[in-house]
């Protein structure tokens, strides 16, 4: 989809963090944006910024795991703008925890938000995109979906699922005008989940891990949509050699990656635990 001018784009999790940058970038590219998140107040701030840029925006406070809300999001976008061209599945949650200590309800909830909701929203969007013979589904996944990242087990599983889904959508719908991309950011600073973890625990980004800003993730998303790119790994340092090592030599990856910074969330978890001990 070479141009985003007057195209309609739904962005979930658009109220803050990476999603806010994705929404602003789509608005700047000329798209009509439909912003989704649970907190109306936070959404309003992004909405005001997009309006200030001069683009059309529709705000939908909703939980992406709610089946009724999922249908309403798609219908509201179609009703307001008459088409649905881009769906950016960005809303996500992350727990920094030893997997065996997470309760079952929380694991299900996390997978619901990060994986099941994106699948179900895509299922609802696809018939309209196919009818238009134009559409692009973006999965905001993560490097953690490929590279073993300790204490993010449930999160990593959901992100690996997103990558697999995007790959398969591309194959299933080849030739229809509808396609998909997976965007896999590394450690995102300035805003979002990792920036909060840094703030709360004081962990520093390891030199060899690299980092990336929300705006760089947004630029990658725009390139993926415009040039129909399959998978983009967004990081300040080259990450593809690591991905190759992970795929071809997984045991070497287990030895190497902690030395390159993959252990960062484990350090953060220790800090959280230390703080809790001090408080109790
Ligand atoms: N930050 C990183 O380092 C990093 C790296 C790689 C990938 N990612 C991915 O990037 C995406 C955005 O992450 P972020 O760092 O920007 O996180 P964030 O700052 O916590 O923002 C998450 C967004 O998702 C929304 N959200 C959460 N649960 C929701 C639900 N059930 N229904 C609707 N909206 C929901 C939040 O709004 P409400 O709470 O108001 O609903 C918020 O707008 C995630 O998929 C994450 O996995 C992040």
């Amino acid at each position: 989809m070479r141009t985003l001018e007057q195209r309609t784009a739904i962005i979930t999790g658009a109220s803050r963090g990476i999603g806010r940058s994705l929404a602003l970038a789509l608005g700047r590219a000329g798209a009509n944006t439909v912003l989704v998140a649970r907190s109306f107040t936070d959404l309003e701030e992004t909405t005001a910024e997009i309006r200030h840029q001069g683009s059309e925006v529709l705000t939908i406070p909703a939980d992406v795991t709610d089946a009724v809300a999922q249908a309403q999001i798609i219908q509201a976008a179609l009703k307001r703008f008459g088409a649905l061209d881009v769906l950016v599945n960005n809303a996500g949650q992350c727990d920094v925890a030893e997997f065996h200590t997470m309760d079952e309800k929380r694991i299900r909830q996390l997978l619901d938000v990060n994986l099941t909701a994106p699948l179900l929203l895509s299922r609802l969007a696809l018939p309209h995109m196919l009818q238009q013979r134009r559409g692009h589904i973006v999965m905001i996944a993560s490097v953690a979906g490929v590279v073993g990242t300790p204490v993010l087990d449930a999160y990593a599983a959901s992100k690996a699922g997103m990558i697999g889904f995007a790959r398969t959508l591309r194959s299933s719908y080849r030739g229809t005008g509808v396609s998909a991309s997976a965007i896999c950011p590394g450690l995102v600073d300035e805003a979002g989940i990792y920036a909060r973890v840094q703030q709360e625990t004081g962990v520093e980004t390891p030199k060899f891990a690299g980092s990336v800003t929300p705006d760089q993730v947004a630029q990658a998303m725009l390139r993926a949509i415009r040039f129909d790119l399959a998978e983009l790994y967004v990081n300040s340092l080259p990450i593809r050699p690591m991905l190759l090592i992970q795929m071809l030599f997984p045991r070497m990856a287990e030895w190497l990656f902690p030395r390159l910074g993959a252990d960062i969330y484990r350090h953060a978890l220790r800090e959280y635990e230390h703080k809790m001990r001090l408080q109790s």
Side-chain angles (χ1 to χ4, degrees):
M1 198 180 302
R2 287 301 162 105
T3 178
L4 282 154
E5 202 72 44
Q6 292 304 309
R7 301 291 188 232
T8 303
I10 297 176
I11 308 102
T12 67
S15 59
R16 58 167 196 262
I18 297 170
R20 176 183 158 277
S21 293
L22 303 178
L24 286 167
L26 283 160
R28 272 195 300 273
N32 302 317
T33 52
V34 180
L35 312 188
V36 182
R38 289 165 305 174
S39 155
F40 182 70
T41 322
D42 291 350
L43 268 181
E44 277 295 276
E45 282 179 32
T46 316
T47 303
E49 282 182 82
I50 295 183
R51 287 221 174 95
H52 187 68
Q53 290 179 168
S55 324
E56 290 287 323
V57 51
L58 173 66
T59 307
I60 306 179
D63 186 327
V64 290
T65 63
D66 177 337
V68 175
Q70 288 162 2
Q72 283 169 346
I73 293 164
I74 304 293
Q75 286 310 320
L78 288 166
K79 190 169 172 212
R80 170 74 180 269
F81 297 116
L84 173 51
D85 304 291
V86 176
L87 168 65
V88 184
N89 286 304
N90 165 76
Q93 299 179 6
C94 177
D95 279 12
V96 180
E98 300 280 2
F99 184 64
H100 65 276
T101 67
M102 289 178 74
D103 67 35
E104 182 189 330
K105 193 170 163 221
R106 178 58 192 153
I107 293 169
R108 288 186 187 281
Q109 199 177 38
L110 200 141
L111 291 173
D112 257 3
V113 178
N114 290 9
L115 186 59
T116 311
L119 262 65
L120 295 180
L121 278 168
S122 303
R123 186 185 70 103
L124 292 170
L126 275 165
H128 305 284
M129 293 178 167
L130 289 167
Q131 201 181 17
Q132 293 168 185
R133 298 197 62 76
R134 183 183 64 227
H136 205 96
I137 293 174
V138 180
M139 307 296 274
I140 303 296
S142 170
V143 165
V146 184
V147 168
T149 311
V151 301
L152 296 191
D153 309 59
Y155 175 81
S158 71
K159 295 296 163 181
M162 287 182 110
I163 297 168
F165 181 60
R167 280 180 191 163
T168 312
L169 278 183
R170 290 180 67 85
S171 312
S172 301
Y173 294 99
R174 186 174 299 134
T176 65
V178 177
S179 193
S181 304
I183 307 293
C184 306
L187 297 169
V188 179
D189 46 27
E190 292 185 9
I193 294 164
Y194 176 64
R196 280 199 302 278
V197 169
Q198 271 191 308
Q199 251 175 21
E200 288 161 5
T201 64
V203 292
E204 285 181 21
T205 309
K207 198 166 139 208
F208 297 109
S211 63
V212 65
T213 65
D215 281 344
Q216 287 169 322
V217 180
Q219 290 313 310
M221 172 203 63
L222 291 181
R223 272 191 289 130
I225 298 169
R226 284 185 173 131
F227 302 108
D228 188 24
L229 305 177
E231 257 162 68
L232 286 182
Y233 292 84
V234 200
N235 200 46
S236 59
L237 296 175
I239 206 150
R240 285 185 186 268
M242 283 175 77
L243 304 180
L244 267 180
I245 292 173
Q246 176 73 62
M247 219 167 350
L248 300 177
F249 310 106
R251 293 204 54 190
M252 187 199 285
E254 284 166 20
W255 174 85
L256 181 65
F257 294 168
R259 288 161 176 80
L260 298 180
D263 253 0
I264 182 77
Y265 284 98
R266 199 198 287 281
H267 297 312
L269 179 60
R270 285 199 195 112
E271 285 302 320
Y272 281 127
E273 287 168 350
H274 178 64
K275 275 187 171 182
M276 273 172 59
R277 273 196 301 274
L278 289 180
Q279 278 164 9
S280 60

